[in-house]
Amino acid sequence: MNKPLSIISAALLSLSTSVSAADVDVGSREYKILLDTTSFSGNTTTRATKVNNYWTALKNLIENDSIECDTSGSLSLEKSRTVIFYDVENSCDLFNAGYIFRERIDNGNREVTLKFRSPDRFIASKKDMDGTESGWESKFEEDLAAPFSSKYSYSTKQGISQSKNLNKVDDPVGLFPGLADENLDETLAIEKVGNLTINEYVYKNASVDLGALDGEFSLTLWYNETVSTTQPIVAEISFKYEDTNEGFSNNVVTRSKSLFSAMQEDSTVASWNTQNSLTKTAAVYQYDSNFCD
């Protein structure tokens, strides 16, 4: 016997409600472009001057007739810290499962982050990314790389003690229990990806008025700590806007896309860009071409 329409409708409504409740809102959208590393060679003073020169060119682009958005602030050094990525040498089990596991050390304080990335929003949002340490924080965001490709990332960060070892796969699994769902061999050793210890410098405090939301800029430079050179191994400019309820208006997203395109097409600003379309993380994984072999 056919069920009454009212019962079917109620069932569908209940299903729809439960599925929607399980979804995770995109809390931020970040637009990223890799820059030519040779453009930022030099000592600390020279580097700051070149960052300022880049911001001047970008600011002029943003405020000209084609974009016509207001800017505020300027790019200044806000963070200086150490970054290390870990994975299984020769197989890169974490990376191949879609995960990135990294440690940041800032003024002696250690923080680890596990990030899962996928072009499929629903695959990314369904991952169990809970942490185990007090005060762990998660975020779900969309990353947009040049020319315009999108990936969703679900990440959790948490502090760890000075004595915590990061030697085997069971260490990140112990910190992020949902990782056990991937059935990785937890006895395998994890090593620094590419044998890299990265000195990271992040320049911030510049923004663009996108309408209801501001876009916050970051210019990030990565250096190999163990190599004596004034040229970074990675340079990236990005801007992002945030709303925990995914309240991104048409005006905000349209202006952002126009700006992102202009940053790749304007002859002055684009002259700072690299032709390499790798992300920062991909650049680290390819720094030593034999690490994942």
Side-chain angles (χ1 to χ4, degrees), residues 36-287:
D36 182 358
T37 57
T38 62
S39 298
F40 298 94
S41 295
N43 58 28
T44 302
T45 302
T46 302
R47 184 167 66 228
T49 298
K50 291 182 176 181
V51 169
N52 184 65
N53 290 343
Y54 176 81
W55 171 245
T56 298
L58 180 55
K59 176 183 172 73
N60 290 339
L61 169 65
I62 295 170
E63 295 181 347
N64 73 14
D65 293 340
S66 61
I67 303 295
E68 287 189 314
C69 290
D70 293 330
T71 65
S72 62
S74 59
L75 290 171
S76 58
L77 183 62
E78 182 170 286
K79 296 178 182 178
S80 173
R81 57 195 177 187
T82 300
V83 181
I84 301 170
F85 290 75
Y86 295 94
D87 211 328
V88 180
E89 190 170 6
N90 298 323
S91 58
C92 291
D93 292 9
L94 292 170
F95 187 79
N96 288 327
Y99 291 90
I100 299 162
F101 179 60
R102 69 168 183 248
E103 175 183 12
R104 282 175 171 160
I105 306 170
D106 191 349
N107 292 322
N109 297 314
R110 300 175 69 197
E111 178 186 271
V112 289
T113 298
L114 183 70
K115 177 183 288 190
F116 180 84
R117 299 180 72 199
S118 173
D120 189 314
R121 172 174 179 160
F122 292 95
I123 291 177
S125 68
K126 303 304 181 187
K127 292 294 181 179
D128 177 359
M129 300 300 293
D130 287 0
T132 57
E133 300 298 304
S134 175
W136 60 268
E137 298 178 1
S138 293
K139 63 180 180 179
F140 188 63
E141 57 192 341
E142 183 180 7
D143 296 326
L144 298 111
F148 198 88
S149 61
S150 174
K151 279 193 175 182
Y152 294 90
S153 65
Y154 202 177
S155 64
T156 297
K157 65 180 181 181
Q158 56 190 332
I160 59 173
S161 69
Q162 294 294 331
S163 61
K164 173 62 181 174
N165 291 323
L166 299 175
N167 298 326
K168 295 183 179 181
V169 173
D170 66 354
D171 290 315
V173 171
L175 290 163
F176 304 94
L179 191 57
D181 294 341
E182 306 298 334
N183 296 316
L184 302 172
D185 185 344
E186 298 182 24
T187 67
L188 294 176
I190 55 174
E191 311 286 348
K192 292 181 183 180
V193 175
N195 196 31
L196 274 174
T197 298
I198 299 164
N199 288 334
E200 179 183 60
Y201 299 89
V202 183
Y203 295 79
K204 305 187 78 170
N205 304 307
S207 63
V208 55
D209 181 1
L210 298 171
L213 298 172
D214 286 343
E216 304 293 334
F217 286 98
S218 295
L219 196 155
T220 304
L221 303 176
W222 282 359
Y223 296 80
N224 184 343
E225 182 183 70
T226 61
V227 176
S228 179
T229 178
T230 60
Q231 181 175 325
I233 59 174
V234 176
E236 180 194 78
I237 184 67
S238 69
F239 69 93
K240 70 177 179 180
Y241 46 85
E242 300 177 320
D243 189 296
T244 55
N245 297 316
E246 202 173 314
F248 308 126
S249 69
N250 180 64
N251 195 30
V252 168
V253 298
T254 301
R255 284 186 175 184
S256 297
K257 188 175 188 301
S258 296
L259 173 56
F260 195 46
S261 296
M263 290 169 67
Q264 299 173 62
E265 297 166 0
D266 177 80
S267 58
T268 301
V269 173
S271 67
W272 292 77
N273 300 348
T274 183
Q275 299 304 309
N276 189 342
S277 61
L278 295 175
T279 63
K280 296 198 304 296
T281 301
V284 168
Y285 268 84
Q286 294 190 21
Y287 186 78

